[in-house]
Amino acid sequence: MSTGLKLVVLGAGSSYTPELMAGLIRYQPEVPVERLIFVDVAEGAERMRIVRDFAQRMLSASGTQITIESTLDRRQALKGADVVFSQIRVGGMKARARDERIPMKYGVLGQETVGPGGFANALRTIPVALSIAHDMEDLCPNAWCLNFTNPSGMVTEAMLRYSAIHTVGLCNVPINIQNAVARAVSKEPERIRLDMYGLNHLSFVRRVWLDEADITELVLSYMAGRQTTVANIADLPFSNRLIDAIRLIPNDYLRYYWLTRDMVRRQREDLEAGRGTRAIRVMAVEAELFRKYQDLTLTEPPPELAKRGGAHYSDVAVAVMASLTGGREREMVVNVLNRGAIDGLPEDASVEVTCRIDNKGAHPQPMGAMDLVVRGLVQHVKAYEQLTIQAALHGDKDAALAALVANPLVPSADVAADLLDEIVAENQPDLGRDWVR
Ligand code: G6P
């Protein structure tokens, strides 16, 4: 086990950071963090101060010996880091609200990671993620980057293909499925293993194991009428008929692809009823959370944190970090380059897949061919993602239009063109470059 890790958190003013702190505390001493450096941009400075004070109280109350520093100077912070957690949101919640709102004007799904909203988010975020990766190449070339920044699959792929930084992309949906199965069969989550493959927010569990026993059929039959979802996604159930037919457990986000009409209707109803898009509701939850974080008697994350979709993400983040930095080997579902693990996807595409994680990295496990029912959709979305990455890297409007045309949630080429013009115009200040064509 290594000692004295320096962990840098980018976007530390996020209301999620106390959740990460709880994970770091829980995983002592397997994750021997000595220095924690919080970094944010100037707009996030006040939130970072509040989170830092609260994090300090959490550490003191639990008797955990970690020092916390905070800075707005990213390069200074990255010097000599062992692990970098990236959880940034370029343009803030306002930009997310825009990503959700613009597609809805065209009757299209408005979401921060899938559809045109995820596309806009990628255009803003990928250049920043790469500038972080290039700083890391200079200042901490051997550090691990654990990426939570959305859209996580595309951001992770861009970092892995266009920088030399060891990056692992993370998401809390797979672990939520694992925990839900564990609760359903009344066993410890560590004894449940998933064979899962696909893309971030587009993945499927093909097999579920309890120790060495295959309990897939039991779990599929249990799912009937008992489906759960992360807090940010409307809890419309997949029909039993669908699950019976496909014999796979879909990622919660498949609702956006397979129940599109009803999900779009829900979004429209929310707007009409004055409930706003998800970003607007998250802003209200955050206001409540930041009020609580300033309560000097509070030394643990408050229950309101469960209203965020990423609740419990530290179960993934800290466990992965533990295995990468010398703790025990684990099997977990994370985002890495495919390298032949899933047939029918490019070698250099990021995929969300069951991996064995040790101090050399996250090693994707061979999944063979994708099930026919989902193969086309996964390939379709991967093509859209790779075009989006090209568009973001080069500010290329042709690649951007091709990307939107290739997105299965965009209904026609005309709508794609209108969406693109509006997205580029509205995001201009955050795109950080002039767009060609
Ligand atoms: C899920 C997703 C994350 C996403 C989050 C949104 O956990 O896996 O990628 O960031 O939900 O939650 P929010 O509370 O921001 O809507």
Side-chain angles (χ1 to χ4, degrees):
M1 190 186 293
S2 54
T3 53
L5 297 174
K6 174 176 174 180
L7 167 61
V8 175
V9 182
L10 304 175
S14 161
S15 59
Y16 280 126
T17 302
E19 152 77 24
L20 174 64
M21 294 305 301
L24 289 174
I25 292 168
R26 222 173 30 248
Y27 274 76
Q28 294 299 314
E30 192 188 354
V31 182
V33 175
E34 187 178 319
R35 290 176 68 197
L36 189 52
I37 322 285
F38 283 1
V39 183
D40 217 312
V41 292
E43 299 88 307
E46 176 59 7
R47 286 168 46 130
M48 180 163 71
R49 186 194 61 73
I50 295 169
V51 168
R52 179 190 162 157
D53 289 351
F54 178 36
Q56 191 61 64
R57 290 199 304 279
M58 290 178 68
L59 290 176
S60 307
S62 62
T64 310
Q65 303 290 322
I66 299 177
T67 62
I68 311 185
E69 299 152 53
S70 55
T71 176
L72 303 182
D73 185 341
R74 180 173 92 202
R75 285 186 61 86
Q76 184 61 34
L78 288 174
K79 254 186 223 153
D82 297 295
V83 179
V84 176
F85 257 78
S86 175
Q87 49 176 36
I88 62 170
R89 191 184 287 285
V90 179
M93 228 14 117
K94 262 207 213 130
R96 172 173 172 183
R98 220 165 43 215
D99 293 347
E100 294 166 345
R101 184 175 40 75
I102 292 174
M104 293 184 67
K105 287 167 58 180
Y106 298 87
V108 176
L109 184 90
Q111 216 281 329
E112 62 156 345
T113 62
V114 300
F119 165 84
N121 194 1
L123 296 191
R124 286 192 306 274
T125 307
I126 286 173
V128 180
L130 281 177
S131 87
I132 291 170
H134 296 320
D135 280 353
M136 289 180 66
E137 287 169 343
D138 265 3
L139 300 160
C140 52
N142 298 317
W144 290 105
C145 178
L146 301 189
N147 180 63
F148 267 103
T149 294
N150 270 327
S152 183
M154 284 191 269
V155 170
T156 300
E157 180 169 324
M159 292 183 76
L160 284 167
R161 285 174 59 190
Y162 299 103
S163 86
I165 294 304
H166 311 296
T167 305
V168 180
L170 305 180
C171 181
N172 64 335
V173 172
I175 202 146
N176 280 355
I177 296 179
Q178 182 181 343
N179 289 339
V181 170
R183 277 195 306 275
V185 297
S186 307
K187 303 289 180 211
E188 304 75 34
E190 305 75 59
R191 294 178 59 192
I192 305 295
R193 291 187 297 112
L194 308 176
D195 288 353
M196 193 163 187
Y197 72 85
L199 312 182
N200 180 236
H201 291 179
L202 185 63
S203 51
F204 306 87
V205 178
R206 176 191 271 160
R207 291 257 158 277
V208 184
W209 304 89
L210 169 62
D211 304 326
E212 299 312 312
D214 182 341
I215 58 166
T216 314
E217 291 304 315
L218 175 74
V219 172
L220 287 173
S221 60
Y222 183 87
M223 269 185 77
R226 295 192 190 83
Q227 292 166 32
T228 56
T229 174
V230 281
N232 56 307
I233 301 181
D235 57 357
L236 289 176
F238 298 110
S239 70
N240 296 344
R241 191 172 167 191
L242 171 71
I243 301 298
D244 277 352
I246 65 171
R247 317 304 295 162
L248 296 168
I249 304 174
N251 184 305
D252 298 338
Y253 279 74
L254 261 298
R255 287 173 174 79
Y256 294 123
Y257 295 98
W258 284 346
L259 309 177
T260 318
R261 190 190 49 190
D262 289 342
M263 295 300 273
V264 169
R265 178 154 33 88
R266 284 272 186 116
Q267 292 192 334
R268 209 177 41 238
E269 284 166 6
D270 281 340
L271 271 199
E272 283 164 8
R275 290 188 288 271
T277 65
R278 174 71 187 164
I280 303 299
R281 298 194 290 280
V282 167
M283 287 186 221
V285 173
E286 289 204 306
E288 192 183 350
L289 283 171
F290 276 94
R291 203 165 30 76
K292 294 240 162 159
Y293 292 171
Q294 292 174 79
D295 171 353
L296 298 181
T297 63
L298 191 73
T299 54
E300 281 180 11
E304 288 80 1
L305 198 46
K307 295 184 186 170
R308 296 296 308 274
H312 307 299
Y313 83 102
S314 70
D315 283 340
V316 196
V318 188
V320 169
M321 176 175 163
S323 295
L324 290 173
T325 56
R328 73 175 170 82
E329 186 181 309
R330 288 178 172 79
E331 191 177 278
M332 301 196 72
V333 179
V334 295
N335 290 259
V336 292
L337 292 187
N338 184 28
R339 294 194 223 102
I342 304 173
D343 292 353
L345 286 172
E347 292 279 309
D348 62 355
S350 66
V351 293
E352 185 159 285
V353 67
T354 305
C355 289
R356 220 173 21 76
I357 305 177
D358 60 22
N359 64 359
K360 302 213 169 40
H363 315 285
Q365 300 303 289
M367 292 290 145
M370 291 181 271
D371 295 78
L372 209 44
V373 60
V374 300
R375 185 176 73 190
L377 178 60
V378 173
Q379 289 173 330
H380 195 163
V381 172
K382 179 46 74 181
Y384 144 77
E385 288 191 353
Q386 295 201 320
L387 286 162
T388 302
I389 294 169
Q390 288 312 313
L393 283 177
H394 307 298
D396 177 342
K397 267 193 149 183
D398 291 338
L401 180 60
L404 280 177
V405 169
N407 188 300
L409 294 172
V410 175
S412 77
D414 292 349
V415 169
D418 289 348
L419 275 166
L420 177 60
D421 290 343
E422 190 160 348
I423 286 170
V424 170
E426 293 258 348
N427 282 279
Q428 208 44 249
D430 290 320
L431 290 179
R433 62 158 80 242
D434 288 333
W435 275 59
V436 293
R437 281 280 299 265

